[in-house]
């Protein structure tokens, strides 16, 4: 069974640009979660999608947005990039909604560097 | 502040020794999860323990949960160099999974 995949592995952008990160969940999983992990810090919850709908979002500005497609893959968009957006962005999936009842399966992450 | 907080922040032990990490949280929970992260990579789920369970085992891992103290511990027995990683506890808060800052475990061979 294929795991959660993320692309690209690395992304380098300049301040003010937009970044698009992609995630494909495990087959059969309908929930996708996005987290930001800045260097030396824990995971900060960004967004949760289930069945194509945004179910919850973390304490991040509106320039962090995303969507979930009918095949349950997901995209995270970060507009007007700032230097402090440099981080490892992790995507996870789980069988369905209810954030805590199921283990989350994580992808390898996209390392975003903003210069 | 974080819903789940681990201690110690860092732990260094010799191969073969046991490693214990603790997690404290603030509100009542349905369950608590432990994850491992190898350097700069995705997280791997280790154990989910439900609020009505007191102890759970998985191989060399033993997790305990004390809901009266709002705390959990992860014990890794007979540690190996490959156990070197960051370990996070996670609890649900506000309909999302909130991770602690993690314990960095280094196992020296």
């Amino acid at each position: 069974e294929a795991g959660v995949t993320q692309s690209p592995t690395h992304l380098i952008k300049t301040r003010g640009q937009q970044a698009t990160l992609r995630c494909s969940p495990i087959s059969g999983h309908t929930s996708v979660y996005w987290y930001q992990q800045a260097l030396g810090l824990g995971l900060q919850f960004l967004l949760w999608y289930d069945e194509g709908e945004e179910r919850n979002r973390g304490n991040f500005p509106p320039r962090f947005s995303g969507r979930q497609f009918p095949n349950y893959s997901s995209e995270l968009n970060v507009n007007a990039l700032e230097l402090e957006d440099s981080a490892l962005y992790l995507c996870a999936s789980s069988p369905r909604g209810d954030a805590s009842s199921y283990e989350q399966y994580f992808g390898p992450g996209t390392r975003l560097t903003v210069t | 502040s974080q819903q789940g907080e681990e201690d110690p922040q860092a732990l260094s032990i010799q191969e073969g020794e046991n490693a214990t990490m603790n997690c404290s949280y603030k509100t009542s929970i349905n369950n608590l999860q432990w994850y491992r992260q190898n350097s700069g990579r995705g997280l791997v789920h280790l154990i989910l323990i439900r609020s009505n369970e007191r102890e759970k085992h998985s191989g060399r891992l033993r997790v305990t949960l004390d809901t009266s103290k709002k705390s959990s511990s992860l014990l890794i027995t007979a540690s190996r160099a490959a156990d070197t990683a960051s370990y996070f506890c996670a609890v649900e808060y506000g309909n999302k999974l909130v991770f602690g800052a993690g314990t960095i475990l280094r196992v020296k061979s």
Side-chain angles (χ1 to χ4, degrees), chain A residues 13-18 78-83 114-115:
Chain A
K13 294 285 187 177
T14 56
R15 196 167 47 184
Q17 286 188 317
Q18 179 198 37
V78 188
N79 294 321
L81 285 165
E82 299 178 2
L83 296 178
V114 183
T115 63

Side-chain angles (χ1 to χ4, degrees), chain A residues 35 37 42-45 48 55-56 88 90 98-104 106-108 111, chain B residues 2 30-31 33 35 37 40-43 45 48 50 88 92 94-97 99-101:
Chain A
Y35 297 89
Q37 187 178 32
L43 279 74
Q44 301 296 317
F45 169 78
W48 168 26
R55 300 296 183 185
N56 203 356
L88 180 67
L90 292 164
D98 184 353
S100 73
S101 292
Y102 298 92
E103 64 180 89
Q104 295 186 10
F106 282 78
R111 171 99 31 212
Chain B
Q2 300 276 16
N30 292 321
N31 58 61
Q33 303 184 38
Y35 288 80
Q37 182 180 34
R41 302 180 67 182
L43 277 69
H45 181 266
L48 182 154
R50 304 193 186 284
F88 298 89
E92 181 185 9
N95 201 26
K96 60 182 180 288
L97 210 55
F99 288 79

Side-chain angles (χ1 to χ4, degrees), chain B residues 65-97:
Chain B
L65 179 64
D66 187 334
T67 53
S68 66
K69 295 181 179 177
K70 292 187 170 57
S71 68
S72 174
S73 67
L74 170 67
L75 168 68
I76 303 174
T77 60
S79 63
R80 305 167 182 168
D83 295 328
T84 294
S86 293
Y87 292 81
F88 298 89
C89 67
V91 296
E92 181 185 9
Y93 181 70
N95 201 26
K96 60 182 180 288
L97 210 55

Side-chain angles (χ1 to χ4, degrees), chain A residues 50-81:
Chain A
D50 183 59
E51 297 282 3
E53 301 284 332
E54 182 182 298
R55 300 296 183 185
N56 203 356
R57 80 178 276 128
N59 189 25
F60 281 83
R63 56 191 187 81
F64 286 83
S65 66
R67 53 180 171 166
Q68 187 178 33
F69 300 98
N71 66 354
Y72 303 115
S73 66
S74 177
E75 194 173 88
L76 174 69
N77 294 293
V78 188
N79 294 321
L81 285 165

